[in-house]
Amino acid sequence: MASLTDTRSAEAYRRALDLLPGGVNSPVRAMRAIGRDPLFIARGEGAELIDVDGNRLIDYVCSWGPLIHGHAHPTVLAAIVAAAERGTSFGAPTPGETALAYEVSARFESVEMVRMTSSGTEAAMTAIRLARAATGREHVLKFAGAYHGHVDWLLAQAGSGLATQGLPASPGVPRSAAALTVVVPWNDPDALAAACERFELAAIIAEPLPANMGVVPPREGFVDLLRERADATGALLVLDEVISGFRVARGGAQENTGVRADLTMMGKVLGGGLPAAALGGRAELMRMLAPAGDVYQAGTLSGNPLAVAAGLATLELLDESAYARLSASTERLASGLREAAGDQPVQVVSVPGLLTVFFSDGPVTDFAAAQACDLDSYGRWCRELLSRGVYPPPSQFDAWFPSLAHSSEQIDRTVEAAAAAFAAVRDARREAHA
């Protein structure tokens, strides 16, 4: 394996372990899933990260999706600086919030009104509270492998059977909260039908293009079926476009499927790299939120002027040409990775702006199939990529995020590094079976 200098990262990690749980502020950053300690980052430039040891790495995490234009894009930076010079936070309305809401509603046909939050978790909390208030029901259906933030109701895992009430997926989540969540397998029409028949649902919540178990697209007609089942049962359809929104298309995955949500969760690209998320939907539902209605939700930094400025600048750069370029770059990367894998048991799944390399000998269509992947080989492959100057998602269950900053030359270097990394994984397997 090529060398990766990480002396300063190792020292930074030792210091962090004394002060931060696990040395990080979000679990996946610890890189435990790929069997190494984290790299600490000094700065980002375009499509590259530079860590505290001076290593340059082609970045396919891109802050887990927000940086669709890459790191430190001059237009986005200028917007943030200009906003900061006027003041960083007011706790009062600003014209920028309305401008961003207008931009969102112009892109999403299903969104007539918007409520800003600071995180996707807050957007999920608000969506579920609003759905329960609108329907007078309590149960919520979600899909196994989907992550909608760390709110108690949605941090549940499936049991056995077609349609089961959730069990807590983390210590500290009350059984009473998880029990109101019904968990079914993704891409399973029978499980969906059974759940809708058994429970009175306030909401069906789903990523229309799942990317939190890796990228696992819906089977033909499955998102249409969600809309149909919601309408038939009186549940609200809540689509989580925190990852897919503004990334896979101008109007998110809803633009591609043609299915319109009652409520849509947004984040990531929406904030242009700053903490921002939102809930949007039909006006009659959104007007139930305080102060227009009685459903309470609040946030001191919701609609923060810096995040709003970054989001507006980011969205204004995303025209038809930008999406065409992102689609072409993603396909170049995905095709190259498939070729680099050769005859190894690897599946490369891609859509514009997202892809996943699954270490699986068959298609991955749900969370169970994702869990059955060869996680050890994925971890070794990631370590090999890091040693060769490529920074992949340090988890089999997360998407790669190509950006508009990735050049053809950087993609070609990535594919070259991937081919060498695949060869190293193959050699390790042979040695293990010798």
Side-chain angles (χ1 to χ4, degrees):
M1 184 188 296
S3 62
L4 177 73
T5 303
D6 59 2
T7 304
R8 291 181 179 177
S9 275
E11 178 57 31
Y13 187 43
R14 283 193 291 271
R15 291 198 301 271
L17 284 169
D18 291 334
L19 297 166
L20 305 174
V24 294
N25 279 310
S26 192
V28 73
R29 300 177 192 175
M31 291 191 171
R32 292 181 180 178
I34 63 168
R36 63 154 296 142
D37 292 339
L39 298 178
F40 278 62
I41 306 305
R43 66 188 190 279
E45 297 175 0
E48 294 186 339
L49 292 172
I50 300 90
D51 69 14
V52 294
D53 287 281
N55 298 301
R56 279 191 171 268
L57 303 142
I58 303 172
D59 180 19
Y60 290 100
V61 173
C62 288
S63 191
W64 300 102
L67 303 181
I68 196 167
H69 301 296
H71 295 276
H73 189 283
T75 301
V76 178
L77 283 184
I80 295 169
V81 170
E85 288 174 343
R86 295 189 293 268
T88 58
S89 183
F90 307 117
T94 65
E97 296 167 69
T98 306
L100 184 56
Y102 178 83
E103 186 68 27
V104 169
S105 64
R107 290 169 178 259
F108 275 83
E109 289 186 18
S110 63
V111 173
E112 296 174 341
M113 299 186 80
V114 174
R115 171 58 60 90
M116 295 288 296
T117 65
S118 295
S119 70
T121 293
E122 291 176 72
M125 292 170 62
T126 306
I128 299 307
R129 183 175 299 160
L130 188 53
R132 285 172 168 159
T135 62
R137 302 172 180 176
E138 295 188 346
H139 282 91
V140 173
L141 183 146
K142 64 160 283 191
F143 292 93
Y147 176 73
H148 306 292
H150 59 272
V151 59
D152 283 358
W153 310 311
L154 299 175
L155 205 60
Q157 61 188 10
S160 60
L162 281 180
T164 61
Q165 288 172 282
L167 297 173
S170 168
V173 176
R175 284 182 172 270
S176 57
L180 294 175
T181 304
V182 181
V183 186
V184 299
W186 177 246
N187 274 328
D188 190 331
D190 293 336
L192 177 63
C196 289
E197 182 176 340
R198 180 177 173 187
F199 299 97
E200 282 198 337
L201 299 173
I204 297 172
I205 183 169
E207 294 175 275
L209 181 59
N212 277 302
M213 52 180 139
V215 178
V216 182
R219 286 176 170 150
E220 184 70 27
F222 190 69
V223 179
D224 298 85
L225 186 60
L226 302 183
R227 179 72 272 174
E228 177 187 315
R229 287 292 80 208
D231 290 340
T233 61
L236 296 188
L237 179 59
V238 179
L239 293 183
D240 182 344
E241 297 236 37
V242 168
I243 290 178
S244 57
F246 316 109
R247 171 167 281 276
V248 301
R250 174 183 170 86
Q254 292 178 57
E255 179 178 312
N256 294 333
T257 64
V259 175
R260 305 291 177 251
D262 296 306
L263 296 172
T264 299
M265 296 157 50
M266 295 160 280
K268 307 284 189 187
V269 171
L270 179 71
L274 272 66
L279 179 68
R282 301 200 316 268
E284 67 268 23
L285 289 172
M286 297 300 294
R287 287 196 177 104
M288 294 179 68
L289 291 172
D294 297 329
V295 178
Y296 194 75
Q297 184 275 336
T300 298
L301 294 177
S302 296
N304 174 268
L306 272 64
V308 166
L312 273 170
T314 296
L315 294 183
E316 287 168 357
L317 291 167
L318 289 173
D319 57 14
E320 185 176 342
S321 171
Y323 284 111
R325 286 187 286 116
L326 183 63
S327 179
S329 293
T330 306
E331 182 53 34
R332 183 185 185 115
L333 176 61
S335 297
L337 290 172
R338 292 186 190 104
E339 184 176 350
D343 60 359
Q344 293 202 57
V346 167
Q347 313 293 319
V348 180
V349 181
S350 66
V351 296
L354 294 168
L355 68 82
T356 297
V357 179
F358 288 110
F359 276 72
S360 169
D361 57 6
V364 176
T365 58
D366 57 21
F367 187 45
Q371 287 179 305
C373 288
D374 184 345
L375 304 186
D376 289 339
S377 290
Y378 181 83
R380 175 177 289 276
W381 188 64
C382 286
R383 296 193 302 272
E384 295 284 349
L385 284 175
L386 285 167
S387 74
R388 292 168 171 82
V390 176
Y391 191 92
S395 165
Q396 174 67 97
F397 306 113
D398 284 292
W400 290 47
F401 294 95
S403 80
L404 288 158
H406 286 88
S407 68
S408 296
E409 185 271 336
Q410 287 170 322
I411 291 172
D412 291 345
R413 278 199 284 135
T414 300
V415 171
E416 182 180 352
F422 279 126
V425 171
R426 181 190 295 112
D427 291 344
R429 282 175 170 161
R430 287 172 177 167
E431 289 179 10
H433 292 91

